[in-house]
Amino acid sequence: MPDARPRRAGPGSGSRRPRDGQGGGRRLVPLALTAVFAYGLAIGEAEDRRAADLTLPVAPASPVAGLETGPPSPPFEAGGRCPTNPAYPARTEVVVLAPSPAGYGSIQYPRTPLAPHTVALTFDDGPWPAPRGDQRVFDILEERCIQAVFFHVGTMIEQRPGLVNEAVRRGHGVASHSWSHPLNLSRWSDTAGQAQIHRGFLALNAAASPEIAEPFFRFPGLDDNPRLRAWLHREGIIVVGAEADADDWKHISAAEVHRRAVANLEQTDGGVLILHQIHPRTVEALPGLLDDLNARGYRFVRISGRAPPLPEPVAPQSAR
């Protein structure tokens, strides 16, 4: 018999909340804090009450949306097949999201404007060290010429800024997931919530400049409120949720992470997928998950808030 209990959101969870216009559905019910997030959640709301009406230190999103037509992002060249895995294309297309006060991600916002059977990979809660963390995820993605967006937590960035630079060097997007990952941000005062978000962007931009960091924000546990969303929109920041998750924050096996990710993407016909590179089970599941999705005909793209650069003109070859 199917489990009829509501799904719960753990630290960094992308668990589903009711879609706009639907009654009932799955509710966001934060779990008890885990030891993984003791480092950030111990920083209380009171510390962040000293700032208000902050201007976010990140270049705002572009008003232009669509598919990238400019030069490929490093390190892959356009055209042909992936040199390390010919089953994949040699580059990840970039889909530019236009600013939206409603946010993106059909778990709780309007659907992200991706073509059917298209997946945009996102990873939350890092940067995370060790073989099972960002570095291993970078290698798995690069072996398949796939690029993603990493939503980083400020306290983690301060400990490992080199991993943020490494993500950028490998052609991935880096974005903010708050300063200390509070799971009740929607219930904070406007002043404290803005300060928490502002501090996260400061940490991100200390590792990746405002022109490089994506103008994206993802609420921890997808726990938002309309006032903070409106403030982020005024600041030129796009709120990014997801179409699907993998429940990888739960104590489940790598095989179950794989199964749930595929099942949820099949249900939504693709979209933004939330994963968490801080869990060994996720990193273990990732190669097989990507290869399964590729075999099922899914196309991988990277979302961005930046208008693509225009292609460099090509000088005509002189006749011989």
Side-chain angles (χ1 to χ4, degrees):
M1 180 175 180
D3 186 356
R5 295 172 296 177
R7 297 175 66 177
R8 295 173 179 265
S13 166
S15 294
R16 300 171 189 273
R17 295 173 66 181
R19 291 179 170 84
D20 291 346
Q22 292 185 3
R26 294 164 175 165
R27 305 290 180 181
L28 184 75
V29 185
L31 290 178
L33 305 179
T34 65
V36 156
F37 281 97
Y39 68 88
L41 296 171
I43 302 170
E45 177 181 357
E47 179 182 344
D48 286 328
R49 287 189 179 278
R50 59 182 180 270
D53 299 323
L54 298 167
T55 299
L56 291 178
V58 63
S62 165
V64 179
L67 190 64
E68 180 189 34
T69 57
S73 300
F76 311 121
E77 296 295 334
R81 296 182 180 276
C82 179
T84 51
N85 192 327
Y88 290 81
R91 69 175 293 193
T92 300
E93 293 176 306
V94 177
V95 175
V96 180
L97 302 181
S100 168
Y104 291 105
S106 59
I107 286 177
Q108 65 199 125
Y109 310 127
R111 183 178 174 86
T112 309
L114 302 179
H117 236 53
T118 299
V119 179
L121 295 175
T122 64
F123 294 87
D124 285 3
D125 299 352
W128 194 255
R132 294 194 180 277
D134 288 53
Q135 193 67 52
R136 179 60 185 134
V137 170
F138 296 157
D139 292 342
I140 292 168
L141 296 176
E142 190 161 318
E143 288 163 4
R144 293 157 178 79
C145 296
I146 294 173
Q147 292 164 346
V149 177
F150 289 80
F151 286 83
H152 289 317
V153 176
T155 53
M156 301 293 283
I157 294 171
E158 287 199 342
Q159 298 176 61
R160 304 171 186 93
L163 287 175
V164 180
N165 291 322
E166 179 73 359
V168 173
R169 187 187 71 80
R170 296 206 190 202
H172 304 294
V174 293
S176 180
H177 196 37
S178 80
W179 161 249
S180 63
H181 203 282
L183 290 177
N184 60 347
L185 190 55
S186 68
R187 296 189 290 280
W188 287 26
S189 70
D190 291 353
T191 298
Q194 289 179 18
Q196 165 74 211
I197 295 169
H198 178 264
R199 193 173 180 186
F201 273 106
L202 284 177
L204 179 65
N205 292 330
S209 74
E211 291 74 27
I212 292 175
E214 288 288 355
F216 289 160
F217 181 77
R218 176 174 283 155
F219 282 89
L222 303 184
D223 185 39
D224 69 348
N225 70 41
R227 299 185 311 280
L228 285 175
R229 283 206 319 271
W231 171 70
L232 285 161
H233 179 65
R234 292 195 299 270
E235 291 293 319
I237 305 299
I238 298 172
V239 174
V240 177
E243 271 67 44
D245 62 6
D247 289 338
D248 57 345
W249 51 270
K250 294 182 176 181
H251 294 291
I252 58 178
S253 67
E256 185 63 10
V257 169
H258 179 155
R259 189 195 69 79
R260 294 188 189 193
V262 170
N264 289 336
L265 285 169
E266 291 279 82
Q267 182 180 4
T268 61
D269 199 16
V272 175
L273 174 66
I274 294 179
L275 296 170
H276 300 81
Q277 76 273 30
I278 68 171
H279 299 305
R281 55 187 165 269
T282 304
V283 182
E284 181 182 345
L286 189 59
L289 169 61
L290 298 179
D291 292 346
D292 189 0
L293 291 173
N294 187 60
R296 291 169 182 263
Y298 283 89
R299 183 166 61 100
F300 295 95
V301 300
R302 178 168 71 84
I303 54 172
S304 177
R306 306 278 185 225
L310 294 174
E312 291 292 332
V314 178
Q317 295 182 347
S318 56
R320 296 192 179 185

